[in-house]
Amino acid sequence: MRMVNQAYNFLAHYRIWFVASIILVIVGINVTSISDYPPPTCDETSYGSTAISLLEKGEFGWATFSEGDYIGRNINLFRQGRVYTLGLAGLFAILGKTLLVGRLYSIFGWGLAGYLTYLLGRRLYTVRVGLFAALAFLTSTKALLTSHIVRPDIWLLAINLLTLCLFLKLTTINHLVAPFIAGIFSLLPLDIHGHGAAFLPAFIFLYIYMELPLKSHQRFFTYFLGLILGSIIWISL
C-alpha cells in the first residue's frame, strides 16, 4: 500500500510531465504505423493526383483526367482545397510523390491540431487542462484514422483551431488591422476543403460575439471589409 501511495504522489507531482511523455509515445507510435494502416483508399488517389497535377502542370485538377473533361476536373478542382493541395504538393516536391509522404502530411496536421488544442486549453483554462485536452484529442479514434489518410479532414480541423487561436489574440489588439485580418482568415477553411464553408457562419457569429464587449462599430465594419475582400480574392483565384 505504501508503494502505491508513493507512486500516486509521484504521478500527482509530475503529472504534467507524465502526460507530455504519453503524448510523445503516441506521436511515435502513430508516425511509425502510417504505412501499415489503413489500406490505400480511392480518396488518397484523388487528393494525391491533384497535388501531382499542381506540381507537374501548375493546375488544381486530377492528373487522371485528360484535357477536355466535361466539368473541368483536369484544371480547376478547387473544392479539393487549394491551400491543402499546395502544402501537399510542396511536401511531394521535397520528399517524393509517394503514399507514405502524403500520409506524413496528414500526420503534420494531426500534430498541429493537437498542439493548438493544448494552446486553447491553456489559454482558456490552465496548462493541465490544455495537456489533457490534447491527450484526449490525439488518442481519439477519429483523429488517429484521419491522420493516416491523404485527405484534408485533419488539416481542416487544424486550421479551424488556428482560426480560433487567432481570434482570441486579435480581439486583444487595439488596432483596426486586427479585425481586418480576422475577416480574411475566416475564409481560410474554404481553401482547405469545400466543406469548410459550413464553418464560415460560425466564425462570423463567434467573432461578433467576442467583439461585443468592445462596442466598436469601426471594428465590426473592418471585420466585414476583410470578409468581403477575402471573398473577392477567393473567387478571383
Side-chain angles (χ1 to χ4, degrees):
M1 190 68 181
R2 182 181 177 184
M3 291 181 64
V4 173
N5 289 333
Q6 288 177 337
Y8 176 81
N9 292 332
F10 177 82
L11 291 176
H13 186 72
Y14 294 101
R15 57 183 177 272
I16 292 178
W17 291 106
F18 180 68
V19 173
S21 299
I22 294 176
I23 290 175
L24 288 176
V25 171
I26 293 168
V27 170
I29 294 173
N30 204 21
V31 170
T32 56
S33 62
I34 57 174
S35 62
D36 303 319
Y37 177 83
T41 68
C42 59
D43 280 359
E44 292 182 290
T45 301
S46 170
Y47 288 102
S49 179
T50 306
I52 292 171
S53 176
L54 181 60
L55 272 179
E56 296 180 349
K57 300 190 294 184
E59 297 171 341
F60 289 94
W62 278 340
T64 50
F65 283 92
S66 60
E67 296 294 331
D69 180 68
Y70 72 102
I71 56 174
R73 287 173 294 186
N74 62 300
I75 57 174
N76 190 25
L77 204 62
F78 66 87
R79 70 175 177 81
Q80 298 283 77
R82 290 172 295 196
V83 173
Y84 168 80
T85 303
L86 187 63
L88 180 58
L91 199 61
F92 277 166
I94 297 170
L95 300 179
K97 295 173 282 189
T98 67
L99 176 65
L100 183 62
V101 172
R103 289 184 172 185
L104 184 61
Y105 183 53
S106 294
I107 288 284
F108 291 156
W110 171 76
L112 177 61
Y115 177 64
L116 291 171
T117 300
Y118 160 73
L119 289 183
L120 280 170
R122 187 186 69 178
R123 169 71 171 75
L124 296 174
Y125 299 99
T126 63
V127 170
R128 184 171 62 176
V129 170
L131 278 172
F132 277 98
L135 180 63
F137 165 74
L138 292 171
T139 55
S140 68
T141 304
K142 183 65 174 178
L144 290 171
L145 176 61
T146 53
S147 70
H148 280 222
I149 299 177
V150 188
R151 277 188 56 90
D153 307 72
I154 195 70
W155 273 101
L156 180 59
L157 173 61
I159 294 303
N160 284 335
L161 291 171
L162 180 62
T163 303
L164 291 175
C165 289
L166 186 68
F167 280 6
L168 288 171
K169 180 65 177 178
L170 291 175
T171 50
T172 65
I173 298 176
N174 188 24
H175 196 289
L176 289 180
V177 73
F180 182 76
I181 293 174
I184 293 178
F185 228 85
S186 297
L187 294 156
L188 184 58
L190 275 72
D191 253 341
I192 301 299
H193 192 275
H195 293 165
F199 296 95
L200 181 57
F203 282 137
I204 293 174
F205 284 114
L206 176 64
Y207 192 80
I208 290 174
Y209 174 77
M210 294 172 69
E211 285 280 8
L212 281 177
L214 299 178
K215 298 179 180 179
S216 171
H217 297 295
Q218 286 183 318
R219 289 181 70 90
F220 286 129
F221 174 78
T222 308
Y223 173 72
F224 283 101
L225 187 63
L227 273 177
I228 293 170
L229 180 60
S231 300
I232 292 173
I233 294 173
W234 187 81
I235 294 171
S236 65
L237 291 175

